[in-house]
Amino acid sequence: MDQKTSLIIKKYSPMWTNKQVWEFEQINEELTFDAEYLQPGDTKVSMKSKSSHQNVDIRETMVNTFDYLLDGYELWITNSKNNQHASEIYLPYLMAVIVDTMTNEEVCLKFREDNNYLVVSINIQADVIDCKEFFEEFYHLATGFNYDINTGIPEDETEAEIYLTRLQEEFDEKMMNMLGAIYISGNNDPDSIKTK
């Protein structure tokens, strides 16, 4: 994982859960941010360029402007209220929301703090291990509200595999009973089944 990203994750660990994000949004209604895309190496945030977005919902901005990240730009984010910088209370929130929003894109991100801004970019040099390490830091976004509660999955790898296989088979059986032949079991997709 990128070293600066690793440092900022350690600073704010553990990363927030969906529950914490939701609670933060309930307390901080109408939570908006100012964001601007800059070329790597550029640090002059003006909020006056065509690539700036003021007083925006960060989720919508990430989804609607994802192409800028793909083109190599960095997104500089600050709190839009009273012209405050993205203070430490907003950084773990922003990282959790951005990773949750970008999960479907399956991209490994880079985070850093710079002049009280959160700077986000795509880690184009990341390999599979880097991405695995990155997403493991945010695993409890996917597992939901109770990530710290024992799931009942055995610690032993072999026993865990047996347990998870049994759960998958039970689920497949229920779905086959409900949907019949249109249900595709396990993690298969239609193309992989046709090639067998």
Side-chain angles (χ1 to χ4, degrees):
M1 186 182 347
D2 171 70
Q3 189 174 8
K4 288 181 181 175
T5 304
S6 182
L7 289 172
I8 195 171
I9 286 173
K10 281 180 187 159
K11 182 176 180 181
Y12 296 106
S13 280
M15 293 292 97
W16 282 17
T17 65
N18 282 322
K19 181 181 180 185
Q20 287 172 295
V21 168
W22 180 82
E23 288 171 345
F24 189 76
E25 290 174 340
Q26 301 311 300
I27 295 166
N28 300 280
E29 294 178 4
E30 299 177 22
L31 192 58
T32 59
F33 295 89
D34 290 340
E36 183 171 3
Y37 283 97
L38 299 176
Q39 289 281 0
D42 188 358
T43 59
K44 294 178 185 171
V45 181
S46 68
M47 293 297 163
K48 294 177 182 173
S49 72
K50 65 177 183 173
S51 60
S52 66
H53 307 274
Q54 296 180 351
N55 204 28
V56 295
D57 176 279
I58 201 62
R59 284 183 187 89
E60 288 177 19
T61 302
M62 293 300 296
V63 170
N64 294 336
T65 63
F66 180 63
D67 286 346
Y68 279 103
L69 286 176
L70 286 176
D71 290 339
Y73 286 85
E74 296 178 331
L75 180 62
W76 290 61
I77 306 168
T78 186
N79 180 13
S80 63
K81 259 191 187 164
N82 302 324
N83 218 11
Q84 297 171 357
H85 290 297
S87 66
E88 291 194 358
I89 65 163
Y90 295 106
L91 293 177
Y93 165 79
L94 284 168
M95 289 191 293
V97 167
I98 290 167
V99 170
D100 191 38
T101 305
M102 291 288 101
T103 299
N104 288 341
E105 303 298 337
E106 296 180 351
V107 294
C108 190
L109 300 172
K110 291 190 335 188
F111 293 121
R112 74 174 193 276
E113 292 177 86
D114 195 322
N115 256 352
N116 295 318
Y117 285 86
L118 176 66
V119 183
V120 183
S121 60
I122 293 178
N123 188 351
I124 57 172
Q125 296 171 336
D127 59 19
V128 174
I129 294 171
D130 291 328
C131 289
K132 179 180 180 292
E133 288 173 356
F134 176 80
F135 282 107
E136 281 176 350
E137 294 295 336
F138 294 91
Y139 73 97
H140 43 279
L141 282 170
T143 56
F145 283 35
N146 301 317
Y147 77 96
D148 56 348
I149 293 173
N150 187 352
T151 60
I153 299 173
E155 292 290 325
D156 179 73
E157 192 175 327
T158 305
E159 289 177 23
E161 193 173 325
I162 293 167
Y163 175 79
L164 293 171
T165 301
R166 183 177 53 80
L167 285 181
Q168 182 67 54
E169 287 170 354
E170 288 173 4
F171 179 79
D172 287 343
E173 187 178 337
K174 282 182 191 174
M175 296 307 289
M176 287 291 285
N177 290 337
M178 290 172 53
L179 300 173
I182 62 170
Y183 176 68
I184 300 169
S185 64
N187 291 319
N188 295 314
D189 60 64
D191 291 335
S192 68
I193 289 175
K194 288 176 188 170
T195 58
K196 286 182 182 176

